[in-house]
């Protein structure tokens, strides 16, 4: 009886384990709008040593209505937590969700221009390697 019960119990436990795997789907609605904001440089490369700070100046042109934006960041690489990214206006004020950057309205013939500075700081003990930093402007 024990010889039959043990394999049956093992199969039963495997069935319970397999049934407890949870699969899910994510559904989202995405609205695509025509962009009226243009960045002077879509990407750039820099070599930064551990403990150093790099500042990149970029120009934003707006061909449409006034926008109030802030920036979000994603860092990929060997040690993403060792990279600190922030965006400042030309006066040194940090731009955040509570302190947004106002980009004035412009037109096709006369776009509004605003300059920003992207600050990238590396921790002293940052792992060497290649990092990719994504800076996303958000309006909502």
């Amino acid at each position: 009886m024990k010889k039959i019960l043990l394999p049956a119990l093992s199969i039963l436990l495997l069935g319970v384990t397999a049934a407890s795997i949870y699969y899910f789907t994510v559904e989202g609605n995405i609205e695509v709008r025509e962009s009226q904001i243009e960045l002077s440089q879509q990407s750039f490369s820099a070599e930064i040593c551990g403990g150093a700070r790099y500042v990149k100046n970029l120009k934003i042109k707006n061909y449409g209505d006034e926008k109030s934006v802030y920036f979000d960041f994603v860092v990929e690489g060997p040690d993403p937590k060792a990279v600190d990214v922030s965006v400042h206006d030309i006066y040194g004020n940090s731009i955040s969700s509570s302190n947004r950057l106002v980009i004035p309205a412009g037109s096709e013939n006369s776009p509004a221009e605003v300059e920003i500075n992207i600050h990238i700081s590396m921790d002293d003990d940052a792992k060497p390697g290649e990092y990719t930093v994504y800076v996303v402007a958000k309006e909502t």
Side-chain angles (χ1 to χ4, degrees):
M1 181 73 172
K2 284 186 179 181
K3 289 184 179 182
I4 295 174
L5 185 59
L6 194 55
L9 189 56
S10 297
I11 291 172
L12 179 63
L13 288 176
L14 285 175
V16 170
T17 303
S20 66
I21 296 174
Y22 179 72
Y23 295 96
F24 63 91
T25 22
V26 176
E27 183 178 323
N29 296 323
I30 299 172
E31 179 183 338
V32 178
R33 291 190 259 167
E34 184 178 335
S35 176
Q36 295 178 329
I37 296 179
E38 183 180 283
L39 195 59
S40 64
Q41 205 173 351
Q42 295 294 322
S43 65
F44 59 89
S45 296
E47 289 187 22
I48 307 173
C49 297
R53 172 177 273 200
Y54 177 80
V55 179
K56 179 68 176 171
N57 179 272
L58 296 173
K59 291 183 182 178
I60 300 172
K61 289 185 180 181
N62 185 10
Y63 297 92
D65 296 335
E66 179 180 282
K67 302 287 182 197
S68 177
V69 299
Y70 67 99
F71 299 91
D72 204 1
F73 317 100
V74 175
V75 178
E76 294 177 350
D79 189 10
K81 293 182 180 182
V83 181
D84 183 41
V85 183
S86 61
V87 176
H88 301 260
D89 63 17
I90 58 171
Y91 306 107
N93 300 315
S94 180
I95 300 166
S96 64
S97 58
S98 60
N99 185 29
R100 296 174 183 238
L101 174 69
V102 176
I103 305 172
S107 66
E108 190 66 39
N109 296 333
S110 179
E113 283 192 11
V114 175
E115 290 186 43
I116 60 170
N117 294 315
I118 297 177
H119 295 246
I120 302 172
S121 300
M122 301 295 290
D123 288 351
D124 290 335
D125 58 349
K127 293 180 184 174
E130 190 171 308
Y131 292 82
T132 302
V133 177
Y134 298 96
V135 180
V136 181
K138 294 186 173 184
E139 187 180 9
T140 57

